[in-house]
Amino acid sequence: MRKTILLSLWVLFIGSFSFAQTTETISATYNSGDIATTHLFRYDGDSSPCPGQLNVPVPDGAIVLNIDVSYEMTSVSPHRRNQQRSQLWCTSTGGTKEPQVYNGSGYSAGTYTYNRTGIDIAFGIQPQNGEGVNFELHAGTAYYNAPDECSTDYTKVDDGTWTVTVYYLPAGSPGFPGNPSPSDEAMLVNLDPTLTWDFGTNTDTYDLYFGTDNPPTSLVVSDQSTGGQASGSYTPASLDYGTEYFWKVVCKNSTNDNPGYVWSFNTKCDTPVYPYLENFDGVTAPDLPNCWVPTVSSSSPYSRIVTKSTSKSRSYPNYVMFVADTDPNPELILVLPEVDNVSDMMLSLYGLNDVDWNTNQPYQYPFEIGTMSDPFDASTFTSFDTYI
């Protein structure tokens, strides 16, 4: 497993922003019986073989913004509420699933109520041909002796409690803008970029917000006509090194305003002043420090590079962790801020291999140090030294 050192980035967050617009809602409730749970669905990446399925009849041509969901799960002893597992999926074209699996609370049997609002897993979907928007509720249990097959005997989603409410823009509203440049979450962008994008369908005028706030609050273009053009552009004033910027385009017409997406990019970093120290204590886990670029190539969706806060840290409270999960040969690369010349510099670091729970012995993964001419291209890595 290659664990290398690299250049500059940060963790990015996409937010939402509220504008004056006409928003409508429609709800649907599942009434086809209790939804079974399974031992096969416990973690993100799992799927239940027997999810509940629900269609919300969103009108044709509408544009979905976000959704709310509520439901109740009941566990019968010896199952417990904290062993409940559930996750909402949008299975319509363009939909996705919630970013995590949710569990109940309480060390006893009983019913737990789930309520989540502002979920964006159906964001931007435009139903056609009366198809509405389709959802699945995947449910499971972490009880150690639960049957693998689907069952409602001990833990279940209660019939008549699962409701999905969809918030949408009515037909005739402008479509979402797209094709941003710099691309969303771009890294190492020059300090003089020209922002470009494609307008959504039916766009007559637009606003543009830009700044370092997420979402951006500085209105830099207001009620500008598209001039019949399919795309737009904007050149911001001078930008700072190593800074994250957020921007969004609000497409407008006489029917409605479309709030658009929040896009972001990070500018390139200035050369650090040496000596340079990073102990990862100045960030909030799991964020990485500014100007550090993680690259993960792995067959496991759980492989990652994150900052952690535990007693294992050599300093307090943080350290950076390379998580390989189940992949025996992942490539996990972390690039330090760029330097002009390393011929007369020394790199000192402290590392620790975690313990294999099966053998109670430390893993023997190698840690490789080197340089890269392109922080986004692993093939440009040149090794300097490798050790355990």
Side-chain angles (χ1 to χ4, degrees):
M1 176 176 63
R2 174 177 292 174
K3 296 180 180 176
T4 311
I5 296 198
L6 269 167
L7 191 104
S8 81
L9 165 82
W10 338 3
V11 178
L12 311 169
F13 298 91
I14 297 180
S16 60
F17 198 83
S18 298
F19 293 86
Q21 73 214 193
T22 300
T23 303
E24 299 183 358
T25 65
I26 188 171
S27 299
T29 299
Y30 181 88
N31 291 295
S32 299
D34 295 333
I35 301 173
T37 57
T38 172
H39 200 252
L40 299 174
F41 180 79
R42 299 174 62 185
Y43 310 105
D44 185 40
D46 293 342
S47 61
S48 169
C50 48
Q53 297 179 332
L54 181 64
N55 175 269
V56 182
V58 179
D60 286 357
I63 306 174
V64 176
L65 295 178
N66 50 56
I67 64 172
D68 297 342
V69 64
S70 62
Y71 53 94
E72 295 180 354
M73 291 184 68
T74 296
S75 296
V76 177
S77 183
H79 289 227
R80 304 192 304 261
R81 288 168 293 164
N82 69 317
Q83 294 170 331
Q84 298 172 1
R85 300 290 185 268
S86 54
Q87 184 181 44
L88 184 66
W89 297 18
C90 176
T91 55
S92 292
T93 301
T96 183
K97 63 182 182 180
E98 290 184 291
Q100 70 180 80
V101 172
Y102 291 86
N103 56 272
S105 177
Y107 292 93
S108 62
T111 299
Y112 190 84
T113 300
Y114 297 80
N115 289 289
R116 298 189 289 278
T117 60
I119 304 170
D120 62 0
I121 61 175
F123 190 71
I125 292 178
Q126 293 183 263
Q128 302 295 329
N129 304 315
E131 61 191 13
V133 183
N134 297 311
F135 298 92
E136 290 184 348
L137 184 57
H138 290 245
T141 175
Y143 183 70
Y144 73 97
N145 198 28
D148 284 342
E149 69 273 10
C150 297
S151 173
T152 59
D153 292 342
Y154 292 99
T155 297
K156 60 186 176 67
V157 179
D158 298 330
D159 184 32
T161 67
W162 175 29
T163 297
V164 174
T165 299
V166 177
Y167 297 79
Y168 63 91
L169 303 178
S173 300
F176 282 94
N179 195 29
S181 178
S183 60
D184 189 28
E185 302 186 3
M187 299 176 287
L188 309 182
V189 173
N190 289 328
L191 301 186
D192 56 352
T194 295
L195 313 182
T196 63
W197 66 92
D198 293 339
F199 291 113
T201 56
N202 303 318
T203 300
D204 295 330
T205 61
Y206 68 96
D207 296 338
L208 191 146
Y209 291 78
F210 181 85
T212 55
D213 294 327
N214 182 19
T217 57
S218 296
L219 180 63
V220 295
V221 176
S222 177
D223 280 325
Q224 179 70 43
S225 172
T226 64
Q229 301 299 307
S231 60
S233 66
Y234 172 75
T235 301
S238 59
L239 305 181
D240 295 326
Y241 281 109
T243 302
E244 184 176 19
Y245 290 93
F246 300 89
W247 59 295
K248 71 178 295 151
V249 177
V250 181
C251 296
K252 308 165 72 174
N253 64 19
S254 59
T255 299
N256 213 349
D257 295 356
N258 187 318
Y261 304 96
V262 173
W263 294 316
S264 63
F265 64 87
N266 288 270
T267 54
K268 66 180 182 179
C269 297
D270 200 1
T271 303
V273 176
Y274 290 88
Y276 171 80
L277 169 67
E278 181 57 71
N279 60 11
F280 307 100
D281 291 339
V283 297
T284 301
D287 294 358
L288 292 170
N290 295 345
C291 303
W292 287 63
V293 179
T295 300
V296 176
S297 177
S298 173
S299 61
S300 170
Y302 305 110
S303 294
R304 59 197 184 278
I305 302 173
V306 293
T307 297
K308 300 282 287 185
S309 297
T310 76
S311 58
K312 292 182 179 180
S313 176
R314 185 173 179 87
S315 63
Y316 185 82
N318 293 342
Y319 66 101
V320 67
M321 173 179 278
F322 296 79
V323 183
D325 195 61
T326 57
D327 189 346
N329 295 296
E331 184 173 72
L332 307 177
I333 303 176
L334 183 60
V335 187
L336 279 69
E338 185 176 15
V339 297
D340 294 328
N341 189 340
V342 297
S343 62
D344 60 349
M345 297 184 179
M346 178 177 67
L347 175 67
S348 300
L349 58 90
Y350 174 84
L352 174 69
N353 265 326
D354 207 348
V355 173
D356 186 334
W357 289 1
N358 295 317
T359 64
N360 202 33
Q361 297 296 318
Y363 289 109
Q364 295 298 300
Y365 290 129
F367 198 98
E368 192 169 0
I369 304 296
T371 59
M372 295 181 73
S373 58
D374 182 345
F376 306 108
D377 185 355
S379 68
T380 67
F381 174 80
T382 300
S383 179
F384 179 77
D385 197 7
T386 303
Y387 59 93
I388 299 297

